[in-house]
Amino acid sequence: MAHRMMLTVLISLSLLGGCSENLGPITETNAKGEVVELVPAVIKGKKFYLETALDQETRILGLSHRENLDSDRGMVFIFPTAESRLFVMRDCLMPIDIIFLTDNLRVINTHAMQLDPRKPREPDMQYERRLKRYASIGKCSIVIELAGGRIEELGLKPGDTVSLPSLESLKEQVE
């Protein structure tokens, strides 16, 4: 029994990218000079570090106005309730892949979101109305965005699971 438990622990650690000291958040300075905390996630065996969007203001801003995103970076959006979700590419300067997840981190569906730039002198309301909506096909409270093309590179499909070790502590911070 103890041998089986140890094997389970070793497999879990290898799936999460190694020893537990590598599973904690890291900090970086963003383009605005702000220090941001990035939380680790493992998707199809690859480790990513994700900025968190835990309040409405940050969720609305998302990855807008970014010119690039490292291949191992992204953003995780955590909502207080599971609902059908719609995302748009408001003022995004790069393609983004989006992953809609169940509360137990199972992939519901994904989209490769394409650029939808604002036209010169386009009024805000007109821009908002014409933005393409990318929808979840079920209720979700967790959404991950990665650099465009990553979902295809990873071979991520509905039904796959994602590892997000800090999920419970992040849920406690959601507004």
Side-chain angles (χ1 to χ4, degrees):
M1 184 69 162
H3 178 66
R4 184 179 293 169
M5 184 178 292
M6 183 59 136
L7 183 59
T8 302
V9 168
L10 289 173
I11 290 170
S12 296
L13 286 175
S14 69
L15 289 173
L16 293 172
C19 61
S20 60
E21 66 193 4
N22 295 332
L23 297 177
I26 62 171
T27 57
E28 284 187 346
T29 304
N30 66 16
K32 295 179 183 177
E34 304 163 329
V35 175
V36 294
E37 183 176 89
L38 306 175
V39 298
V42 178
I43 305 171
K44 296 293 277 193
K46 301 284 186 196
K47 190 176 223 174
F48 292 86
Y49 283 96
L50 310 174
E51 292 179 47
T52 59
L54 307 175
D55 60 60
Q56 192 61 10
E57 181 180 344
T58 308
R59 288 185 211 113
I60 289 170
L61 182 60
L63 294 172
S64 297
H65 306 288
R66 311 268 181 109
E67 292 183 5
N68 58 46
L69 186 65
D70 289 346
S71 64
D72 66 341
R73 297 296 192 261
M75 183 171 274
V76 60
F77 300 75
I78 302 178
F79 297 87
T81 59
E83 298 176 17
S84 293
R85 303 279 171 205
L86 288 174
F87 274 62
V88 297
M89 292 281 288
R90 182 181 302 109
D91 294 319
C92 288
L93 306 174
M94 63 185 171
I96 296 173
D97 286 350
I98 189 165
I99 307 164
F100 294 101
L101 301 161
T102 63
D103 287 345
N104 63 355
L105 299 171
R106 187 166 304 280
V107 176
I108 298 171
N109 67 303
T110 65
H111 294 283
M113 301 191 301
Q114 299 304 308
L115 294 177
D116 203 353
R118 190 181 293 259
K119 295 175 183 168
R121 294 184 297 279
E122 182 175 24
D124 288 343
M125 290 303 291
Q126 183 178 342
Y127 180 57
E128 279 297 317
R129 279 194 302 272
R130 75 167 178 80
L131 283 171
K132 180 174 180 171
R133 269 65 176 157
Y134 296 90
S136 64
I137 59 169
K139 293 182 178 186
C140 68
S141 61
I142 305 161
V143 178
I144 293 177
E145 290 183 343
L146 303 174
R150 292 299 283 153
I151 289 173
E152 185 176 347
E153 288 173 20
L154 295 167
L156 188 69
K157 304 275 186 249
D160 290 344
T161 56
V162 169
S163 173
L164 187 61
S166 57
L167 179 60
E168 291 309 313
S169 65
L170 292 173
K171 285 182 175 180
E172 293 172 4
Q173 301 171 50
V174 172
E175 296 177 20

